[in-house]
């Protein structure tokens, strides 16, 4: 049985790789000639994981080739330099425990500063009714149980999940004992008697795919990481992409942009890398940092256990709308500046800046799906109408500056992974046991950190594995 998607199967057959399960048949594809196209190490993906792997390999005298699908370096480190204030559309917050990120930034003179973000109260828009947190408690649309009624809609998730004990250590999520936590968020909430509306509100702006797919093991892992990171959260001056720009500039190795790979086929001596442009290159080792949300459409011959996780690891879907306002009207109407809504086209609205006045709408999960299916002009108008409905002082103030959907980006297909319900054991085995000629890296392969730091950690582990194997 194979777990390659239909798209991956088609890619394999177009390249004559017979689902990648056996050796390539179509030798007419341009192949490597002798040593010229034979590389010691090829790194796929020029995000933080790939760049860090390259940095470490170079320090040991290797010159890996880096292949990047898009025309931009950085991957999910993505600063919108074309938008006023250059907001980050990707990873932004650098936790106090991000030791790798901080050390590399220091060595490359990339400046960090304390994050100005502070949690503020929100204006709530629930089932079409607008209210403050105080008003929510007695609102007719508050159908929460008696024990929940006093909790704000955006506080329900932490109200329940803080009942969960943190794990003994940041790597404990991989241990057998922790797997008892690998149940769905829905089952966990039910076991604590969460009401139907609590479940719906938690799912409305969930940082995860949905309450059925999000494993409590993932939540326990995140809470444990948070508990182990005390101190200030930072951001990169000028945007997170300044970090990946600096890392790329410091490399000697070639980075080939606009070069998507279509298939990978490993054998006992190396890996053939089939490019979408029809060319083929070969490497003794490949470090592949492609998110699994994308990798599942790429033909490969990794073992069945890996195929299974690659095919099914969930990624959170998110779409963003950046809006410019004529004036910072949120400072004038006496209402909380941020909006938290369960309306599909509103989600969460944050103030990005007062000068120039900028707002960001963050839609997750099903809301992002609904938004993505509409044409941008109609969707944009509806979103602005929604803000004006909730906040009349916004009337005539707004214009759309940028729309960005992470799942429409065919080289990301989502913002980050989470452990899917029942996947803890298999993912833990995968990140701890790398074999063969294709070594996987990327934030999804980290053991002891997550996000930006997890990407660096995974690149480091992959590079160390390859260095050991080559020595
Ligand atoms: C909206 C958002 C908010 C976030 N917030 C935070 C935060 O505040 N703090 C935090 O720590 N983390 C955050 N993260 C997560 C963090 O940005 C990521 O974990 C990290 O950037 C991932 O790096 P990576 O190298 O693993 O993957 P990527 O950066 O995705 O790199 C993979 C690369 O592979 C390339 N690629 C894909 N397919 C192919 C192909 N077929 N051929 C060749 N190349 C290919 C891609 O183009 C990409 O450049 C956030 C992410 C997002 C999207």
């Amino acid at each position: 049985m194979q777990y390659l998607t239909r798209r991956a199967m088609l890619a394999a057959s177009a390249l004559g790789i017979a689902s990648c399960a056996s050796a390539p048949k179509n030798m007419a594809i341009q192949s490597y000639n002798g040593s010229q196209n034979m590389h010691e190490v090829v790194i796929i993906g020029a995000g933080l994981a790939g760049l860090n792997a390259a940095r470490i390999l170079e320090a040991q005298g290797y010159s890996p080739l880096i292949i990047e699908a898009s025309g931009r370096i950085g991957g999910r480190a993505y600063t919108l330099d074309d938008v006023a204030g250059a907001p980050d559309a990707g990873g932004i917050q650098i936790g106090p425990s991000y030791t790798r990120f901080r050390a590399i930034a220091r060595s490359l003179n990339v400046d960090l500063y304390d994050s100005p973000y502070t949690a503020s109260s929100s204006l709530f828009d629930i089932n079409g009714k607008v209210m403050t947190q105080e008003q929510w408690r007695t609102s007719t649309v508050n159908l929460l149980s008696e024990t929940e009624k006093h909790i704000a809609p955006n506080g329900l998730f932490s109200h329940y999940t803080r009942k969960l004990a943190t794990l003994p250590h940041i790597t404990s999520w991989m241990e057998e004992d922790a797997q008892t936590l690998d149940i769905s968020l829905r089952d966990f909430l039910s076991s604590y008697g969460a009401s139907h509306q609590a479940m719906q509100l938690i799912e409305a702006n969930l940082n995860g795919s949905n309450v059925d797919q999000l494993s409590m093991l993932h939540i326990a892992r995140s809470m444990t990481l948070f508990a182990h990171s005390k101190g200030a959260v930072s951001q990169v001056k000028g945007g997170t992409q300044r970090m990946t720009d600096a890392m790329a500039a410091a490399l000697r190795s070639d980075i080939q942009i606009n070069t998507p790979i279509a298939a990978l086929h490993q054998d006992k001596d190396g890996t053939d890398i089939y490019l979408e442009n029809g060319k083929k290159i070969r490497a003794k080792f490949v470090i592949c940092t492609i998110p699994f949300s994308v990798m599942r459409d790429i033909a490969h011959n990794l073992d069945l256990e890996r195929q299974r996780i690659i095919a099914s690891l969930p990624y959170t879907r998110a779409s963003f709308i950046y809006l410019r306002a004529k004036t910072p009207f949120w400072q004038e109407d006496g209402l909380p500046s941020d909006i938290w809504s369960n309306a599909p086209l509103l989600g969460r609205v944050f103030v990005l800046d007062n000068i120039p006045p900028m707002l960001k709408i963050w839609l997750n999960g099903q809301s992002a799906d609904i938004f993505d299916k509409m044409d941008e002009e109609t969707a944009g108008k509806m979103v602005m109408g929604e803000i004006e409905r909730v906040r009349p002082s916004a009337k005539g103030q707004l214009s759309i500056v940028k729309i960005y959907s992470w799942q429409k980006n065919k080289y990301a297909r989502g913002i980050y992974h989470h452990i899917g319900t029942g996947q803890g054991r298999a993912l833990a085995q995968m990140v701890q046991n790398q074999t063969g000629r294709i070594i996987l890296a990327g934030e999804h392969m980290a053991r002891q950190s997550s996000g930006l730091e997890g990407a660096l950690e995974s690149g480091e582990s992959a590079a160390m594995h390859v260095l050991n194997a080559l020595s």
Side-chain angles (χ1 to χ4, degrees):
M1 187 169 196
Q2 285 207 304
Y3 292 91
L4 298 178
T5 61
R6 193 176 128 71
R7 210 181 307 177
M9 294 283 198
L10 289 174
S13 91
L15 293 165
I17 316 175
S19 309
C20 259
S22 55
K25 288 181 181 157
N26 182 1
M27 296 315 286
I29 291 169
Q30 184 177 333
S31 60
Y32 60 94
N33 46 357
S35 60
Q36 202 184 343
N37 275 333
M38 174 65 163
H39 299 266
E40 216 127 27
V41 188
V42 167
I43 296 171
I44 303 171
L48 279 169
L51 295 171
N52 199 31
R55 194 182 67 88
I56 291 165
L57 288 165
E58 277 195 1
Q60 298 304 316
Y62 291 92
S63 297
L65 170 67
I66 306 167
I67 298 176
E68 166 57 46
S70 78
R72 181 180 64 80
I73 286 163
R76 282 169 282 168
Y78 180 26
T79 303
L80 300 176
D81 290 316
D82 54 341
V83 173
D88 273 302
I92 180 165
Q93 295 201 320
I94 297 142
S97 61
Y98 284 20
T99 49
R100 290 176 188 81
F101 196 104
R102 289 171 187 277
I104 297 169
R106 216 174 300 122
S107 71
L108 296 174
N109 295 321
V110 173
D111 290 334
L112 306 185
Y113 65 101
D114 284 355
S115 173
Y117 177 77
T118 47
S120 55
S121 62
S122 295
L123 181 64
F124 293 103
D125 167 48
I126 308 298
N127 299 350
K129 212 167 153 72
V130 181
M131 66 206 99
T132 61
Q133 187 166 337
E134 270 310 298
Q135 292 164 333
W136 162 248
R137 290 175 193 191
T138 53
S139 167
T140 51
V141 293
N142 183 341
L143 304 175
L144 294 173
S145 67
E146 283 312 311
T147 53
E148 296 165 333
K149 260 197 174 343
H150 64 287
I151 305 163
N154 60 352
L156 286 160
F157 177 82
S158 56
H159 168 77
Y160 281 105
T161 54
R162 69 169 163 254
K163 298 179 193 298
L164 197 68
T166 54
L167 299 167
H169 190 259
I170 48 174
T171 54
S172 303
W173 70 274
M174 296 183 290
E175 290 165 12
E176 194 50 39
D177 284 354
Q179 304 312 315
T180 53
L181 293 171
D182 196 1
I183 59 165
S184 72
L185 173 59
R186 183 190 293 284
D187 286 348
F188 173 82
L189 292 172
S190 299
S191 72
Y192 279 95
S195 66
H196 180 63
Q197 192 185 34
M199 210 89 87
Q200 285 182 328
L201 289 172
I202 285 171
E203 194 164 66
N205 285 304
L206 185 67
N207 191 8
S209 45
N210 57 53
V211 291
D212 294 300
Q213 277 194 327
L214 178 55
S215 168
M216 289 310 292
L217 182 62
H218 187 83
I219 295 172
R221 181 187 180 189
S222 304
M223 286 168 55
T224 308
L225 280 170
F226 185 71
H228 279 81
S229 60
K230 296 267 178 276
V233 171
S234 308
Q235 291 178 209
V236 177
K237 202 169 171 187
T240 310
Q241 216 180 298
R242 302 296 81 85
M243 175 74 162
T244 44
D245 290 348
M247 288 176 78
L251 292 175
R252 292 187 310 273
S253 309
D254 285 340
I255 304 182
Q256 280 184 18
I257 57 167
N258 295 315
T259 311
I261 70 138
L264 291 172
H265 184 274
Q266 62 178 345
D267 54 47
K268 69 178 182 31
D269 302 317
T271 295
D272 289 328
I273 303 151
Y274 295 83
L275 306 179
E276 274 187 14
N277 64 16
K279 293 187 179 163
K280 184 177 85 166
I281 48 181
R282 185 168 168 82
K284 283 187 189 160
F285 283 95
V286 165
I287 294 179
C288 180
T289 73
I290 298 176
F292 287 174
S293 44
V294 177
M295 183 80 179
R296 59 186 61 139
D297 289 330
I298 288 173
H300 60 81
N301 66 341
L302 287 161
D303 60 62
L304 283 182
E305 270 311 302
R306 283 175 172 71
Q307 282 185 29
R308 202 197 316 257
I309 287 285
I310 289 168
S312 58
L313 195 72
Y315 279 69
T316 300
R317 306 181 306 288
S319 300
F320 302 146
I321 304 116
Y322 296 85
L323 300 129
R324 176 88 188 242
K326 288 181 184 155
T327 61
F329 57 87
W330 46 88
Q331 292 181 329
E332 309 296 327
D333 62 9
L335 296 170
S337 56
D338 295 347
I339 299 173
W340 195 101
S341 171
N342 66 348
L345 289 180
L346 211 46
R348 286 168 298 161
V349 184
F350 303 103
V351 171
L352 277 186
D353 232 325
N354 294 323
I355 312 168
M358 294 278 298
L359 294 174
K360 174 178 182 175
I361 300 186
W362 183 313
L363 301 174
N364 263 3
Q366 284 184 7
S367 298
D369 297 342
I370 292 169
F371 182 85
D372 286 356
K373 284 198 188 104
M374 301 169 76
D375 73 85
E376 288 196 353
E377 201 184 332
T378 314
K381 278 190 187 141
M382 289 181 75
V383 160
M384 288 193 286
E386 281 291 85
I387 297 184
E388 291 177 3
R389 171 181 65 77
V390 172
R391 187 166 214 139
S393 61
K395 279 210 168 64
Q397 283 272 358
L398 298 169
S399 54
I400 293 192
V401 176
K402 178 126 189 151
I403 290 174
Y404 192 76
S405 158
W406 277 101
Q407 50 289 339
K408 274 192 181 173
N409 173 344
K410 62 180 178 171
Y411 303 125
R413 298 273 180 228
I415 58 175
Y416 31 64
H417 89 284
H418 63 78
I419 302 173
T421 304
Q423 291 184 328
R425 193 174 283 115
L427 184 64
Q429 275 169 12
M430 190 161 173
V431 303
Q432 291 176 102
N433 301 304
Q434 299 259 25
T435 56
R437 297 283 170 164
I438 302 171
I439 307 304
L440 299 171
E443 55 93 24
H444 48 281
M445 291 297 291
R447 300 179 194 189
Q448 44 176 288
S449 42
S450 66
L452 300 161
E453 181 73 3
L456 293 173
E457 180 207 317
S458 73
E460 179 184 301
S461 303
M464 297 311 289
H465 180 98
V466 168
L467 284 171
N468 276 336
L470 286 172
S471 63

